[in-house]
């Protein structure tokens, strides 16, 4: 394991995964420009050398939102840059799966970062939602289209239009998160999920994620092309041979 710390993003590197901890505890891990820049650098590294990504937050908070002091100073030109939307879309597009391990507040931009992950697991003390309209803005970094896909439009409307905040049990009930764990068990649970993913063929996992996220018009051609590559893969031959040999020995 290699660890890098000292900034708003703490990085622990393992052979098959990276753990990124949002680390601005004095600001409840609010997402500022420096954190965005460091997330871009992390994504660039994971695009070059794909690994599973686990994103979590320091001190019992995932992220309380975007940094309000910075947001207050932004103007129309900044909005059109899509600063947070761009990095969250880049997180979604990473080649290998992304796991968000959520504790405490995951609000505003913090919630939108969580929505960008492939998996969300949490603690019962999670509080997740999008109160942006109370600050005179919209949830413009993915919530207005990702959240309806995740929980359906009626509940998404409650969250983004009426400011409803879900706790851990409520988020589990609507499958916005898939597991609940005690805070001390949250990161081990994220690693256990990463272990299950890592046990599979990384190339097959990458193609599965890419085809899963492909637009409807791209199917079924996307499946056929991905399968054509995998049918020629030495790892497919090895894994299927091992399977058949194990079955013969039973």
């Amino acid at each position: 394991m290699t660890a890098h710390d000292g900034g708003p993003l703490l990085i622990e590197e393992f052979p098959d995964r990276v753990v990124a901890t949002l680390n601005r505890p004095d600001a409840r891990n609010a997402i500022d420009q420096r954190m965005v820049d460091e997330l871009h650098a992390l994504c660039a590294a994971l695009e070059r050398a794909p690994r599973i990504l686990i994103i979590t937050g320091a001190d019992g908070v995932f992220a309380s939102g975007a940094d309000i002091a910075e947001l207050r100073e932004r103007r129309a030109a900044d909005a059109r840059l899509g600063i947070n939307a761009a990095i969250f879309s880049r997180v979604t597009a990473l080649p290998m799966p992304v796991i968000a391990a959520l504790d405490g507040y995951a609000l505003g931009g913090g919630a939108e970062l969580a929505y960008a992950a492939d998996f969300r697991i949490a603690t019962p003390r999670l509080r997740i939602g999008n109160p942006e309209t109370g600050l005179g803005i919209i949830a413009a970094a993915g919530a207005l289209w990702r959240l309806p896909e995740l929980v359906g439009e009626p509940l998404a409307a409650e969250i983004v239009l009426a400011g409803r905040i879900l706790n851990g049990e409520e988020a589990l009930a609507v499958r916005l998160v898939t597991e609940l764990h005690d805070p001390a068990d949250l990161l081990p649970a994220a690693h256990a999920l990463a272990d299950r993913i890592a046990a599979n063929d990384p190339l097959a996992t990458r193609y599965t994620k890419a085809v899963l996220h492909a637009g409807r018009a791209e199917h079924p051609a996307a499946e056929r092309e991905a399968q054509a590559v995998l049918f020629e893969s030495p790892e497919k031959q090895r894994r299927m041979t091992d399977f058949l040999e194990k079955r013969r020995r039973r």
Side-chain angles (χ1 to χ4, degrees):
M1 181 191 77
T2 303
H4 312 278
D5 56 23
L9 201 63
L10 306 183
I11 304 295
E12 295 176 277
E13 297 191 50
F14 301 84
D16 59 2
R17 72 198 64 173
V18 172
V19 179
T21 302
L22 310 181
N23 184 48
R24 298 185 68 218
D26 292 345
R28 292 182 174 175
N29 301 331
I31 299 168
D32 65 354
Q33 185 63 58
R34 187 179 172 199
M35 188 182 288
V36 168
D37 293 343
E38 294 196 6
L39 283 168
H40 275 296
L42 173 60
C43 285
L46 293 175
E47 289 158 358
R48 291 190 300 268
R51 284 177 283 177
I52 298 162
L53 174 60
I54 298 170
I55 303 178
T56 192
D59 285 10
V61 173
F62 183 68
S64 60
D67 189 286
I68 302 301
E70 287 189 353
L71 276 180
R72 185 181 61 181
E73 302 309 312
R74 289 179 181 169
R75 296 296 182 263
D78 300 300
R80 293 187 175 100
L81 291 174
I83 294 168
N84 286 359
I87 184 55
F88 298 164
S89 291
R90 195 172 184 181
V91 167
T92 294
L94 286 171
M96 288 292 281
V98 178
I99 301 166
L102 309 172
D103 191 13
Y105 294 117
L107 299 174
E112 290 177 301
L113 175 55
Y115 305 153
D118 298 289
F119 300 90
R120 284 162 297 281
I121 65 174
T123 72
R125 63 189 187 187
L126 172 67
R127 298 294 182 270
I128 187 167
N130 292 92
E132 281 90 342
T133 55
L135 294 170
I137 58 174
I138 67 171
L144 298 184
W145 57 276
R146 285 197 181 99
L147 190 56
E149 292 176 353
L150 292 169
V151 302
E153 190 167 324
L155 179 56
E158 280 193 69
I159 292 169
V160 300
L161 294 175
R164 179 174 174 184
I165 305 297
L166 303 182
N167 62 32
E169 293 288 350
E170 290 168 330
L172 180 65
V174 298
R175 305 303 289 170
L176 182 56
V177 303
T178 54
E179 303 172 15
L180 288 185
H181 299 276
D182 289 336
D185 298 328
L186 180 62
L187 195 54
H191 279 290
L193 176 54
D195 289 341
R196 300 205 304 271
I197 297 166
N200 298 321
D201 173 27
L203 186 60
T205 298
R206 289 175 60 181
Y207 271 109
T208 297
K209 176 172 176 175
V211 175
L212 183 66
H213 287 292
R216 187 174 181 84
E218 298 177 59
H219 300 283
E223 285 89 341
R224 290 197 297 264
E225 290 305 311
Q227 198 76 302
V229 173
L230 293 168
F231 271 14
E232 299 294 330
S233 164
E235 185 65 9
K236 171 245 188 182
Q237 290 294 121
R238 185 190 71 77
R239 285 173 177 260
M240 289 192 176
T241 299
D242 286 350
F243 175 85
L244 292 171
E245 289 179 352
K246 288 176 184 176
R247 189 168 69 177
R248 288 191 198 103
R249 290 196 294 266
R250 289 174 186 162

